Amino acid sequence: MRAGKVLFVTYLLLSVWSLLLVYSTSYGVAIMRYKVEPSYFFDRQLIFYGLGLLGLLLCSRINVKLFYRRWMLRMLVGSLLGLLILVLVTGSAANNAQRWLSFAGVTFQPTETVKLLLILVIATVFLKKGCGARVQYWLLGFLFLTVGLVFLQPDLGTALILGVIGVALFLTSGVGLTRLVRVSIWAFGVLILVATLIYFFHPDFFSSAKLGRFAFLDPFNLHNLDASYQLRNGYYAIGSGGVFGNGLGGSIQKLGYLPEPHTDFIMTVIAEELGVFGVIWTIFLLMLFTFTALYIAICSQFIFDSMVCIGVAAWISVQMFLNLGGVSGIIPLTGVPLPFISYGGSSIVMLSCAAGFVLAAARRNWLARTREVVYL
């Protein structure tokens, strides 16, 4: 249970840290761009974390026996595919991508829900069906279908996250080397097919605007100034902060220079205001959460819990890498938020629910040790 306490305390620290940072990074955007109260994004982030905490508590108490039932797997698969198809058919577009759904006046991003659903689907299939060749090929086809539907939005960042989650769960499922090679060859063929379909059905995915993301290779080139505008201002923020930063609230780049200082580029403002120590503290909290989830997975006697914890750890780690790699110019910008830190309702609520499943795994580990309860 100690690991569960560490995870929960880390979650609370991340939530408080996020609220502080979102207020500091967003009040300028709220006033100048959206003409609302300075605390607008802070208030909404507080509500998101309130809903997230409720989701965490509910998910941490879900009876694992539900995942043995046939209807649960059908419901998970149906919900995942239904959300992705629905957003392609009726979703609202923003920034040349169709990623949002509106229901009863509430707008949310279905792909955040899909990340957790994919983990639950794969974990449930391995729980019920084992890790035989037929199961793995079925899951691989389902994974590529999911990634392909996300590509069509298009959302490259989320597609990469889903792909890494799937690969991480496959590699830890006990698959043999020979079968892994066969599956990889088959997967490569499917990837080529998906890329071909995207080229014909979504040609603007390969437009100059999308390819402009590769301006990170030479952001100060005169031909790349427009495409690399946000990245260059992120560099200015990081350079201005130095080791100790300019003090909380002391960022200049967030005042109209960085278009999204409270979402994708929140780490650059952290670097500007709090310096190296603020960046290290943020990364430490995220890494502590990730490694605690992996520790719980290793200690688990139950395959479902192990798979869920590994999937959640892969989700947070790859999303953190894509965000930090993008804002630092190591990789192209993918538009994914920094997990648990950036402003965003869909992301916060679903990450909190994922944390609830990890806490449930930690509790079952503790029960198995103290009461000699064995989960099959």
Side-chain angles (χ1 to χ4, degrees):
M1 196 62 177
R2 184 178 301 174
K5 292 180 179 178
V6 171
L7 190 93
F8 184 65
V9 170
T10 305
Y11 171 83
L12 293 179
L13 289 173
L14 283 167
S15 63
V16 173
W17 189 237
S18 172
L19 290 168
L20 177 67
L21 295 173
V22 165
Y23 180 76
S24 177
T25 58
S26 67
Y27 67 80
V29 175
I31 296 172
M32 294 186 292
R33 186 191 304 177
Y34 296 99
K35 313 298 182 183
V36 293
E37 293 295 322
S39 62
Y40 175 81
F41 292 104
F42 169 83
D43 294 338
R44 290 173 65 86
Q45 187 81 337
L46 185 61
I47 293 173
F48 297 151
Y49 260 112
L51 295 174
L53 182 59
L54 178 61
L56 180 148
L57 296 175
L58 290 175
C59 291
S60 67
R61 293 294 174 179
I62 290 179
N63 191 337
V64 73
K65 293 181 180 179
L66 288 175
F67 294 93
Y68 282 102
R69 301 185 182 277
R70 184 176 301 176
W71 59 266
M72 176 59 79
L73 179 59
R74 292 176 178 174
M75 186 184 73
L76 292 172
V77 172
S79 300
L80 187 153
L81 296 179
L83 284 172
L84 291 180
I85 294 172
L86 191 62
V87 75
L88 289 174
V89 175
T90 65
S92 56
N95 297 324
N96 298 318
Q98 193 164 324
R99 304 175 184 175
W100 302 89
L101 282 177
S102 297
F103 179 75
V106 178
T107 302
F108 67 100
Q109 195 169 0
T111 49
E112 296 297 332
T113 306
V114 166
K115 295 172 187 174
L116 180 56
L117 288 176
L118 179 66
I119 294 171
L120 295 178
V121 166
I122 295 177
T124 303
V125 170
F126 280 125
L127 170 68
K128 294 171 62 66
K129 308 292 185 181
C131 57
R134 185 176 179 182
V135 171
Q136 290 177 1
Y137 281 114
W138 183 90
L139 279 176
L140 193 63
F142 178 76
L143 174 64
F144 271 93
L145 175 61
T146 303
V147 172
L149 289 173
V150 174
F151 255 114
L152 291 175
Q153 296 184 9
D155 188 349
L156 176 60
T158 300
L160 287 172
I161 294 170
L162 293 173
V164 171
I165 290 173
V167 170
L169 293 179
F170 268 92
L171 291 177
T172 55
S173 66
V175 58
L177 180 60
T178 302
R179 189 183 300 168
L180 182 62
V181 172
R182 292 176 181 173
V183 169
S184 300
I185 294 173
W186 187 84
F188 183 72
V190 174
L191 182 62
I192 293 176
L193 176 62
V194 170
T196 303
L197 291 175
I198 292 173
Y199 178 78
F200 284 107
F201 290 97
H202 218 306
D204 60 333
F205 185 83
F206 300 97
S207 64
S208 57
K210 294 291 189 302
L211 296 178
R213 290 174 173 174
F214 289 93
F216 80 98
L217 295 172
D218 190 5
F220 294 95
N221 188 300
L222 292 177
H223 300 289
N224 295 333
L225 292 183
D226 290 336
S228 65
Y229 172 81
Q230 191 162 346
L231 179 60
R232 285 185 290 107
N233 280 284
Y235 283 164
Y236 300 149
I238 296 171
S240 173
V243 177
F244 300 102
N246 299 320
L248 189 65
S251 170
I252 300 299
Q253 294 302 315
K254 69 183 180 184
L255 301 177
Y257 297 99
L258 280 171
E260 304 295 339
H262 58 306
T263 55
D264 303 350
F265 272 70
I266 193 170
M267 185 58 92
T268 61
V269 182
I270 296 174
E272 185 178 7
E273 295 188 346
L274 302 174
V276 173
F277 295 102
V279 173
I280 291 175
W281 172 247
T282 305
I283 295 176
F284 169 76
L285 289 177
L286 291 170
M287 294 302 294
L288 179 60
F289 188 98
T290 301
F291 282 113
T292 304
L294 287 175
Y295 175 79
I296 294 171
I298 293 171
C299 295
S300 179
Q301 301 179 16
F302 190 29
I303 186 173
F304 178 83
D305 286 339
S306 293
M307 300 294 280
V308 168
C309 292
I310 291 170
V312 172
W315 172 4
I316 295 172
S317 58
V318 69
Q319 186 163 322
M320 181 171 62
F321 170 77
L322 290 176
N323 178 272
L324 298 182
V327 300
S328 60
I330 297 174
I331 60 175
L333 292 172
T334 54
V336 298
L338 188 61
F340 289 114
I341 302 296
S342 295
Y343 170 81
S346 304
S347 176
I348 294 299
V349 172
M350 298 318 302
L351 282 168
S352 300
C353 291
F357 280 101
V358 179
L359 283 175
R363 188 182 76 253
R364 283 190 282 269
N365 289 349
W366 177 75
L367 289 174
R369 289 196 306 269
T370 58
R371 303 182 186 180
E372 296 184 353
V373 177
V374 177
Y375 294 95
L376 301 178

